[in-house]
Amino acid sequence: MNTVSEKILSAHLVSGEMKKGQPISIRIDQTLTQDATGTMAYLQLESIGVDKVKTELSVSYVDHNTLQNGFENADDHKYLQTVANRYGIYYSKVGNGICHQVHLERFARPGKTLLGSDSHTPTAGGIGSIAIGAGGLDVAAAMAGRAFRLNMPAIVKMELKGQLQKGVAAKDIILKVLSMLSVKGGVGKIIEYCGEGVKTLSVPQRATITNMGAELGATTSVFPSDERTYEFLKKQHREDEFVEIIADEDAVYDEEYVIDLNELEPLMALPHSPDNVVTVASMAGRPIDQVLIGSCTNSSYLDLATVANIVKGHTIASNVSCGMSCGSKQVLTALSQTGKLTDIIQSGIRLLESTCGPCIGMGQSPATNAFSLRTFNRNFYGRSGTLSASVALVSCETAIASAIAGVITDPRTLDYEPAQDLESYLVDDRCILKPDCDPQKEIVRGPNIKPLPKNTKLSDRIEKQVIIKVKDNITTDDIMPAGAKVLPYRSNIEKISEFCFMNQKSTFHDEAIAKNGGFIIAGQNYGQGSSREHAALAPMYLGIKAVIAKSFARIHQANLINFGILPCLFQDENDYDRIEEEDVLVFDHLQELLPNSTLTVYNVTKDFYFAVSLPYNEEQITILKNGGLLNSL
Ligand code: MIC
Ligand code: SF4
């Protein structure tokens, strides 16, 4: 009577009891990193000091920092390539594709566990793998053979009935789920898909859904491994890696929902949150300025072949700048082989590199006050690089229909031939370099690769000011922005910390330095979004000792612990309103902290006490007392 999730988790259980909310640890079969989180992860792996990775497979992808506007990104790539070769890690060269798309095509396997230093690692849940996003240090530790710690998630049954109608896409399914559960509705949960509608979805469509499950805050999302999984693996010439994994008839779930695909219509997420969902029809006719197609959510062959079929014979509207990036070299090759690339180029679509590109603010920032439609997964404030712009998230069908019309357009109003998947994909892994593990070969570190900053042991008493107070749903993009100006410093914490909270409070860095650190006060779901541990590392570097929030996003909470910053929860949420920036707070007796304890904090400025809880187990409390996981290891 097991769910798909329970079957895979139990086969990998190292410790703990698989009871909802209880701490467990699982063996990790595969890891992935990308360059923007990878440099830190590999510096951490080096400092843990193993000879070679202990996983079945580890892959280092380069897909984020690909603009080479100076030596920094290129330095990172050299370091990543040489360190991968040294430690037994496959290296996917820049241009080979976006980590999640390439991993799905070439490496992800049903029944395996995958830990990735990127929040969209759950993309591989589309093939029936338990794939979890984590901070780079957790991934480094997994490469060194450490089991991954998590609390046993609740399992949510998401039953799909019926079949998608023409013009309605897998993207609309996940937008529907986001409208039902919200950006914090998945915290502590695995979303497991089942029902007759599942069989109508190919693996790339399933992967769109599991990819954007990250926006629910979920631990991961997973589909069964069935005949459609076999079909996909066969197209990738990997059918020998197929194993069937389906939930038992009498499997028991913690929550249950049903979506009728026959009834679903095209949806879009309005600024600035992926759960701000409305129907496309309700927005039809609104002028737009930019359309961007691609990202790890929507860049499979089927997605882009659909774009080609719709755009064939049309021109992108004169008021619209339209760009597209393929998810991988394999996808780009397939579009070229089928001649669809010609239709795409002829329409006036700007072809971008097969990388994350504009999704992470690497170019294509919209104009002032522009309205941009994107097939991506995040439309957080400022992420596009233009603070005044509005970004809405849509399917490929809606994006291209709107790009042609110049206004938001419901794709169901168009006449086009639905795209067919290929019988077989061209497999050419020459851009994935096999490691030789030769310890004699030099690991190349350019001047942008700075040593890892380390935290000191937790002091028993801390008296400091509140440096910033922020509202609900603060993203890691708010804490540690990305984009073309900031990303090149991902291996240089001193430099990147200058940009910390820059769009929330431009004086944050200088104040934190002048005051020798302090505290952060936050609302619900603090740290939602990416896995970037820089959102913990930079505050740590600036002397932030604790974040007191109403609730935390999973990966960020783990990253705070890993770097020795206390993630405290208000016991009474009303206390949030009683604390202001510059208030002086005192934490005392911290070295006596016990697992799952409550602490009394004194607000010196306002003269009152308030309680915070630290719902952490013994191991986590020890890590906090030691000043982080690296010190503990
Ligand atoms: C993102 O989509 O926000 C990123 C960039 O891929 C991040 C990782 C990072 O910040 O490097 C993520 O999703 O984890
Ligand atoms: Fe890259 Fe965007 Fe996917 Fe993050 S969400 S991995 S930036 S494509």
Side-chain angles (χ1 to χ4, degrees):
M1 36 176 279
N2 280 331
T3 60
V4 169
S5 318
E6 285 164 335
K7 289 185 182 186
I8 304 175
L9 287 173
S10 63
H12 290 84
L13 194 68
V14 172
S15 69
E17 231 189 303
M18 284 179 33
K19 284 208 179 117
K20 188 173 89 181
Q22 291 304 305
I24 57 168
S25 69
I26 54 167
R27 182 168 40 80
I28 296 298
D29 301 321
Q30 302 188 339
T31 63
L32 72 76
T33 57
Q34 40 87 344
D35 51 303
T37 55
T39 51
M40 278 298 138
Y42 295 115
L43 287 169
Q44 287 152 352
L45 179 67
E46 287 190 84
S47 88
I48 296 172
V50 282
D51 266 3
K52 188 176 177 304
V53 291
K54 305 271 198 291
T55 44
E56 287 174 13
L57 171 93
S58 288
V59 191
S60 170
Y61 294 91
V62 181
D63 53 2
H64 281 63
N65 265 322
T66 62
L67 283 184
Q68 283 156 238
N69 224 354
F71 62 89
E72 291 87 355
N73 293 342
D75 272 10
D76 284 359
H77 303 171
K78 267 235 150 69
Y79 168 68
L80 290 167
Q81 182 170 343
T82 52
V83 81
N85 187 53
R86 164 70 187 78
Y87 285 97
I89 299 152
Y90 283 77
Y91 178 76
S92 171
K93 286 176 77 179
V94 63
N96 191 46
I98 305 174
C99 55
H100 308 303
Q101 175 67 26
V102 179
H103 205 81
L104 190 72
E105 290 168 0
R106 306 302 311 134
F107 297 115
R109 291 173 69 157
K112 296 286 177 187
T113 53
L114 165 69
L115 195 72
S117 64
D118 191 282
S119 63
H120 291 105
T121 303
T123 311
I127 211 169
S129 145
I130 287 289
I132 303 178
L137 182 48
D138 280 327
V139 177
M143 287 189 273
R146 184 177 190 256
F148 178 64
R149 274 78 166 155
L150 74 163
N151 289 338
M152 178 64 198
I155 317 286
V156 177
K157 176 180 185 181
M158 196 58 73
E159 185 182 344
L160 305 181
K161 284 194 163 147
Q163 186 166 7
L164 289 174
Q165 304 298 301
K166 192 173 163 197
V168 189
K171 182 65 160 279
D172 299 309
I173 302 178
I174 186 62
L175 287 171
K176 176 74 185 170
V177 178
L178 273 152
S179 74
M180 290 157 55
L181 300 186
S182 91
V183 287
K184 46 182 190 301
V187 177
K189 300 175 188 172
I190 296 181
I191 318 293
E192 192 170 311
Y193 290 83
C194 62
E196 79 217 29
V198 160
K199 292 204 172 36
T200 68
L201 301 172
S202 64
V203 166
Q205 287 175 303
R206 296 174 182 187
T208 293
I209 297 168
T210 54
N211 169 283
M212 209 174 164
E215 275 48 72
L216 299 162
T219 303
T220 190
S221 304
V222 69
F223 274 81
S225 171
D226 58 10
E227 60 270 28
R228 300 303 302 268
T229 320
Y230 178 80
E231 171 193 299
F232 177 80
L233 283 167
K234 191 155 189 285
K235 286 177 203 271
Q236 294 289 352
H237 311 182
R238 303 202 276 133
E239 62 270 34
D240 54 320
E241 296 177 6
F242 174 74
V243 282
E244 186 183 67
I245 311 168
I246 18 190
D248 295 330
E249 289 273 340
D250 53 355
V252 182
Y253 299 84
D254 296 291
E255 284 172 47
E256 300 192 7
Y257 301 88
V258 181
I259 298 178
D260 186 351
L261 303 184
N262 294 322
E263 301 290 317
L264 200 64
E265 52 178 314
L267 298 172
M268 65 194 294
L270 294 177
H272 295 288
S273 183
D275 63 357
N276 192 9
V277 175
V278 297
T279 62
V280 172
S282 72
M283 294 296 289
R286 193 211 185 283
I288 52 169
D289 305 280
Q290 186 186 50
V291 173
L292 292 170
I293 297 166
S295 94
C296 57
T297 317
N298 279 118
S299 58
S300 64
Y301 172 75
L302 206 55
D303 269 332
L304 304 185
T306 301
V307 170
N309 282 12
I310 297 178
V311 88
K312 190 178 168 81
H314 294 280
T315 308
I316 299 302
S318 58
N319 58 310
V320 174
S321 165
C322 182
M324 180 179 118
S325 36
C326 296
S328 66
K329 186 166 84 76
Q330 187 186 67
V331 171
L332 183 55
T333 308
L335 289 173
S336 149
Q337 285 175 322
T338 53
K340 294 194 186 295
L341 194 58
T342 311
D343 298 326
I344 289 168
I345 295 168
Q346 283 298 307
S347 71
I349 292 179
R350 300 164 65 178
L351 196 63
L352 311 174
E353 253 192 321
S354 298
T355 59
C356 301
C359 179
I360 191 57
M362 278 300 198
Q364 309 294 317
S365 294
T368 306
N369 298 326
F371 199 96
S372 175
L373 282 189
R374 299 173 169 214
T375 67
F376 306 168
N377 47 39
R378 290 186 172 146
N379 58 345
F380 299 147
Y381 174 69
R383 187 172 160 102
S384 69
T386 305
L387 293 182
S388 67
S390 299
V391 175
L393 307 172
V394 294
S395 68
C396 286
E397 286 83 340
T398 302
I400 193 63
S402 308
I404 297 167
V407 295
I408 295 177
T409 302
D410 186 331
R412 290 174 303 176
T413 58
L414 299 187
D415 189 23
Y416 65 94
E417 203 43 46
Q420 301 300 325
D421 206 356
L422 297 179
E423 280 300 309
S424 168
Y425 299 106
L426 180 80
V427 171
D428 171 4
D429 289 335
R430 277 175 298 169
C431 287
I432 303 176
L433 310 183
K434 212 172 158 190
D436 63 19
C437 295
D438 181 354
Q440 301 309 322
K441 286 207 185 126
E442 189 203 356
I443 298 177
V444 183
R445 285 168 234 272
N448 193 43
I449 315 280
K450 298 282 190 235
L452 270 180
K454 288 217 174 132
N455 205 350
T456 49
K457 229 175 126 173
L458 183 68
S459 313
D460 197 44
R461 183 175 188 282
I462 306 173
E463 176 167 348
K464 287 188 187 292
Q465 276 190 18
V466 172
I467 311 281
I468 189 169
K469 180 178 173 182
V470 288
K471 53 185 187 344
D472 290 349
N473 292 323
I474 282 294
T475 69
T476 53
D477 282 282
D478 292 319
I479 305 168
M480 196 60 259
K485 291 196 192 86
V486 185
L487 274 177
Y489 303 114
R490 282 289 180 95
S491 336
N492 183 344
I493 300 301
E494 178 182 353
K495 179 71 188 165
I496 208 170
S497 71
E498 290 174 16
F499 302 92
C500 200
F501 282 111
M502 81 185 179
N503 297 329
Q504 299 291 315
K505 184 177 186 182
S506 56
T507 56
F508 178 85
H509 167 268
D510 292 355
E511 268 184 51
I513 294 279
K515 292 175 178 165
N516 195 15
F519 305 115
I520 295 172
I521 302 293
Q524 300 283 3
N525 201 22
Y526 178 75
Q528 69 158 327
S530 82
S531 68
R532 68 188 69 147
E533 52 192 3
H534 301 75
L537 260 170
M540 175 206 94
Y541 178 79
L542 296 172
I544 296 299
K545 297 295 176 198
V547 181
I548 311 174
K550 292 183 186 171
S551 66
F552 289 94
R554 175 186 64 88
I555 307 180
H556 188 60
Q557 187 173 29
N559 284 341
L560 289 172
I561 297 173
N562 279 352
F563 293 101
I565 298 179
L566 295 167
C568 307
L569 288 158
F570 283 110
Q571 279 234 307
D572 176 354
E573 290 186 1
N574 293 318
D575 287 329
Y576 170 88
D577 299 318
R578 300 166 72 197
I579 306 172
E580 285 174 284
E581 286 182 5
E582 296 190 9
D583 281 4
V584 175
L585 308 181
V586 178
F587 282 74
D588 212 348
H589 308 298
L590 286 171
Q591 281 298 335
E592 288 158 33
L593 208 60
L594 295 172
N596 290 313
S597 54
T598 305
L599 261 181
T600 305
V601 182
Y602 179 48
N603 185 328
V604 182
T605 316
K606 304 250 162 54
D607 189 22
F608 73 91
Y609 289 89
F610 64 100
V612 298
S613 58
L614 286 135
Y616 305 114
N617 61 32
E618 201 169 338
E619 184 177 33
Q620 291 168 314
I621 294 291
T622 309
I623 292 172
L624 283 166
K625 286 184 185 167
N626 288 340
L629 180 58
L630 269 185
N631 294 352
S632 283
L633 289 173

